[in-house]
Amino acid sequence: MLRWSIATVSMGGTLEAKLTAVARAGFRAVEIFENDLTFFSGKPKDVRSRCQDLGLEIIGLQPLRDFESMPEPMRARNFDRAERKFDLMEELGTRFLGMCSSVSEDSADDKHRSAADLAELADRAAQRGFRLGYEALAWGRYVKDWMQAYELVCLADRPNLGIVLDSFHICANKNPLAPLAEIPASRIGLVQLSDAPGILMDPMSLSRHHRCFPGQGDHPVAEFLDCVMKTGYRGPVSLEAFNDHFRGAPAAMIAQDGMRALQIAGETLDKGRIAQGLAPLRIGGELPEASPIGGIEFVEFTTGSSGQNAFVNLLEGLGFTRVARHRSKEVDLYRQNDLNIVVNSEQDGFAHAFGLLHGTSMCALGLRFDNPERALERANALGTPTYFGRIGPGEDLIPAVAGVENSLIYFMGAQKTGAPTNWDRDFVFDKAEAPGSLKCFDHFSNVLRRSEFLSWMTFYKSVLGLVNDPQVEVADPYGAFYSRVIRSPSSTLRIPLNIADGGSTAVSRFIDAFGGSGVQHIALETGDIFAFVEAAVARGVKFLAIPNNYYEDLSARFVDLDNDLIEQMRTYGILYDRNRSGEFFQIYTATFEKTFFFEIVERRNYELFGAANTPVRLASQVAEQERMGW
Ligand code: MG
Ligand code: MG
């Protein structure tokens, strides 16, 4: 039966905890990695009954290693070893054994001998009603590619012997994918999926430490799955990721990431199949389609236990005006054109609790979906429950889901023209208009612990239907900084996900001061950054000090750049970038309460984020931190 499965090796912890996490994440099938069994204190039949209780089918045991083309007496010993695995399979109640191509120096480069060994083992397995799968390890001694493994399977020619198609080995060795579609389904024993970053590394190290779930890396997993499904194979598809970070994380989180990654892999597969005139397969059921995100309706800040005045001063300095107050709560609405910033200073409830943990910070984001009901159904189907906050009498109930560090993402619909808005119903306005030079939210940065990076990427890609840009890596004065932008397909929502290596990096200091992952900056777009900055400085806003050398370097990098323009940028600390399509200006406010800052950008036909300026921003912030004694 076509269904999702996961190999126990993909998670950390005890076998018991892994199985529970796998079942809770919605899996109905699991592959047992033999090491997990070796370290398990109970008997294999206990694993069998635990899986039965959890509703998990054990689709296979793996791996049997270094089997084929071995000289005697190792060959005979190998058959004994295999028989013991068969006994174990009997106790576990599984019918399938996965074996991988030999890496042994003692094995012979003789495909006919290898095929004969596989055939003999398959015949022995058949007597007990078992099936075998043979997989090419990318670093196998003689069999490295799926084409070689397939040749052996065909030479052995046994009905209970199939090839294991593992996307990792196939993609790591850059094996051709299209011919996979020509394999008869009856010759396929199992399909395994994982992804990996597109870094140059020997396949074994990449495999053992850096495998990740589909959509978290750079392998053509979607194309692989599409080709494999064209064979007519309808057996289990199993996630198999060896990853140090996964093993260090809670099994429940990793199992859920795996399920979400598979759900979007299945969705991508079906979209592709429908486009090719093929029937969708709906592995794991139906997933409501992602709703386009029309825009950002508001961001909400909690002012924590202190700092409200300072934060409000900063907002007013940036040109925001308080236009309304909530009917029943200590909540103000600050506005500039269509930009809404809600300032929550309630002494109770969600925002207050968030503020106690993180200080003045962005605690919620309100998104406008074309179809908010469907967007919420999708979130729920991906294991993200709906959060309903406490509301006052007659107040609008806006459903939300938990995002990074339990901040909230509200799911709102498009505003109908002429109809009263959420704001009209819940707020009392004392100003109708709030003009200013800031036009829209440009992006939000999420600064994340490294261990959470792939989880949140999968969350955004699956739950909100976002897509990702390639990873950018730059230097921090105390380590390295990595950023990956994820965005809605129409770029209405853009979130750079930032992580760092190094305990004193700007990112690590943020995480320490903030008490976890969170939004470190909000970028706002203006049509005239120079006029904006001049006015903001006059209103008392402090901007991040940029070293003089940056501007010397700028005039060297862009020789045609006007000197007066460079001087103007130097005066305020504006940064500059340019590419083939256009120009970009950006400036950062001084950091507020050790954790948060605004960025103001002016885009002239430029769609990136000024990554070339990130090192100078990080260095300037580290200098600021050291000056302030943070
Ligand atoms: Mg494998
Ligand atoms: Mg930015």
Side-chain angles (χ1 to χ4, degrees):
M1 197 178 94
L2 187 55
R3 64 216 179 285
W4 298 128
S5 159
I6 186 167
T8 53
V9 72
S10 312
M11 290 151 286
T14 63
L15 182 57
E16 276 258 85
K18 292 182 190 199
L19 295 174
T20 308
V22 163
R24 289 218 177 118
F27 287 93
R28 293 289 163 262
V30 67
E31 224 186 312
I32 303 277
F33 200 70
E34 203 185 337
N35 288 28
D36 281 314
L37 217 49
T38 313
F39 307 141
F40 177 64
S41 54
K43 295 196 168 65
K45 69 173 175 41
D46 299 334
V47 175
R48 178 186 193 157
S49 62
R50 181 71 188 137
C51 285
Q52 270 165 359
D53 291 348
L54 290 167
L56 290 172
E57 182 199 345
I58 301 176
I59 59 152
L61 174 72
Q62 62 146 329
L64 176 64
R65 299 185 189 276
D66 296 331
F67 183 82
E68 73 277 16
S69 278
M70 294 294 272
E72 293 294 0
M74 286 184 243
R75 182 177 182 277
R77 257 190 257 138
N78 269 348
F79 277 90
D80 291 345
R81 198 154 59 91
E83 290 289 350
R84 282 207 293 281
K85 298 232 190 232
F86 292 161
D87 296 340
L88 190 55
M89 288 163 67
E90 207 75 70
E91 286 189 69
L92 280 174
T94 187
R95 319 308 299 167
F96 180 84
L97 177 66
M99 51 198 300
C100 36
S101 61
S102 180
V103 298
S104 170
E105 289 177 12
D106 297 317
S107 64
D109 184 12
D110 182 339
K111 63 186 178 188
H112 294 284
R113 247 178 80 187
S114 292
D117 285 345
L118 291 179
E120 187 177 335
L121 189 65
D123 290 342
R124 292 208 201 179
Q127 286 169 18
R128 303 177 67 157
F130 292 151
R131 292 179 302 115
L132 297 179
Y134 181 72
E135 171 178 0
L137 289 183
W139 56 92
R141 186 147 179 89
Y142 300 113
V143 175
K144 301 177 198 302
D145 301 320
W146 73 259
M147 300 79 83
Q148 295 171 291
Y150 182 58
E151 189 185 6
L152 292 192
V153 165
C154 291
L155 284 171
D157 194 23
R158 292 295 188 276
N160 65 331
L161 171 69
I163 184 172
V164 175
L165 297 174
D166 181 327
S167 73
F168 175 82
H169 299 287
I170 292 171
C171 296
N173 273 3
K174 296 197 164 52
N175 285 173
L177 299 179
L180 289 168
E182 308 302 322
I183 299 177
S186 60
R187 292 266 197 224
I188 301 176
L190 181 63
V191 173
Q192 292 179 318
L193 280 190
S194 63
D195 204 338
I199 49 179
L200 280 179
M201 188 184 267
D202 71 282
M204 190 167 80
S205 306
L206 189 65
S207 169
R208 291 195 176 159
H209 305 290
H210 301 282
R211 282 208 213 186
C212 51
F213 294 147
Q216 295 180 334
D218 302 303
H219 278 184
V221 182
E223 192 191 338
F224 167 85
L225 194 57
D226 183 51
C227 292
V228 168
M229 287 302 149
K230 282 188 179 138
T231 62
Y233 172 82
R234 295 296 179 263
V237 178
S238 196
L239 267 187
E240 188 196 36
F242 303 75
N243 185 301
D244 304 334
H245 293 296
F246 289 7
R247 278 194 295 275
M253 183 175 102
I254 298 302
Q256 183 171 60
D257 290 348
M259 180 48 88
R260 284 177 176 155
L262 286 174
Q263 283 172 285
I264 42 175
E267 180 179 53
T268 308
L269 172 72
D270 280 347
K271 276 188 185 157
R273 287 179 63 89
I274 290 165
Q276 297 170 70
L278 300 167
L281 297 173
R282 300 205 171 87
I283 316 176
E286 196 101 36
L287 185 63
E289 202 184 328
S291 168
I293 296 171
I296 295 152
E297 181 59 23
F298 71 92
V299 301
E300 180 174 341
F301 273 80
T302 172
T303 52
S305 43
S306 65
Q308 188 196 348
N309 287 343
F311 184 68
V312 161
N313 288 344
L314 175 57
L315 281 186
E316 290 177 345
L318 296 172
F320 285 85
T321 309
R322 200 198 78 139
V323 295
R325 164 142 273 228
H326 196 278
R327 288 181 198 281
S328 60
K329 293 177 183 167
E330 296 271 306
V331 175
D332 290 311
L333 172 60
Y334 284 79
R335 191 170 265 182
Q336 183 163 180
N337 298 310
D338 294 331
L339 285 162
N340 295 312
I341 296 186
V342 171
V343 178
N344 189 326
S345 20
E346 284 271 285
Q347 292 304 304
D348 193 11
F350 157 75
H352 181 65
F354 196 91
L356 288 179
L357 288 171
H358 304 299
T360 298
S361 53
M362 181 173 146
C363 61
L365 168 66
L367 296 178
R368 289 241 178 248
F369 289 90
D370 289 6
N371 185 338
E373 293 80 19
R374 196 180 71 208
L376 199 62
E377 279 169 31
R378 176 182 175 88
N380 295 159
L382 286 156
T384 313
T386 307
Y387 169 94
F388 288 106
R390 222 182 22 169
I391 55 163
E395 204 182 309
D396 264 10
L397 182 68
I398 309 173
V401 303
V404 171
E405 206 75 29
N406 287 315
S407 60
L408 293 179
I409 301 170
Y410 285 99
F411 283 47
M412 308 173 78
Q415 181 57 47
K416 294 185 187 70
T417 39
T421 65
N422 300 87
W423 306 114
D424 296 332
R425 283 188 292 267
D426 295 350
F427 284 78
V428 181
F429 278 79
D430 46 37
K431 282 200 183 62
E433 303 263 300
S437 68
L438 300 180
K439 306 184 294 189
C440 60
F441 292 108
D442 190 85
H443 61 272
F444 305 88
S445 79
N446 276 187
V447 164
L448 303 171
R449 293 186 186 98
R450 197 179 230 299
S451 60
E452 296 176 320
F453 175 55
L454 293 177
S455 292
W456 286 112
M457 189 162 92
T458 293
F459 168 87
Y460 285 120
K461 289 179 76 169
S462 59
V463 173
L464 298 184
L466 307 188
V467 295
N468 63 269
D469 290 356
Q471 180 160 304
V472 171
E473 303 173 9
V474 300
D476 175 286
Y478 291 104
F481 171 91
Y482 305 87
S483 182
R484 190 148 201 168
V485 176
I486 51 161
R487 61 172 87 228
S488 59
S490 58
S491 289
T492 43
L493 173 65
R494 296 186 283 206
I495 309 177
L497 304 180
N498 298 337
I499 56 169
D501 275 339
S504 297
T505 56
V507 162
S508 299
R509 292 182 207 213
F510 165 83
I511 288 172
D512 288 346
F514 186 78
S517 300
V519 172
Q520 189 191 24
H521 74 265
I522 295 180
L524 305 161
E525 191 183 350
T526 177
D528 183 348
I529 197 167
F530 294 97
F532 165 82
V533 172
E534 202 176 325
V537 167
R539 289 190 292 257
V541 177
K542 299 266 181 295
F543 290 96
L544 182 67
I546 301 297
N548 244 321
N549 290 337
Y550 171 80
Y551 296 96
E552 303 302 320
D553 182 53
L554 206 57
S555 57
R557 268 163 61 210
F558 304 106
V559 283
D560 58 337
L561 204 56
D562 184 67
N563 268 332
D564 290 345
L565 188 71
I566 293 178
E567 283 318 304
Q568 256 188 303
M569 289 195 272
R570 191 201 302 264
T571 306
Y572 295 113
I574 294 172
L575 307 174
Y576 177 82
D577 192 30
R578 180 202 289 171
N579 62 12
R580 278 192 195 151
S581 66
E583 286 181 300
F584 184 61
F585 298 86
Q586 58 187 152
I587 191 166
Y588 300 96
T589 65
T591 307
F592 183 82
E593 289 186 352
K594 302 187 190 178
T595 55
F596 177 83
F597 54 93
F598 285 99
E599 175 185 357
I600 312 302
V601 305
E602 181 184 335
R603 295 180 176 278
R604 298 181 186 168
N605 268 323
Y606 175 102
E607 280 310 310
L608 303 173
F609 298 86
N613 293 326
T614 304
V616 71
R617 190 260 286 176
L618 295 170
S620 303
Q621 286 175 332
V622 163
E624 177 190 43
Q625 288 161 343
E626 289 174 359
R627 206 167 48 239
M628 304 293 286
W630 292 344

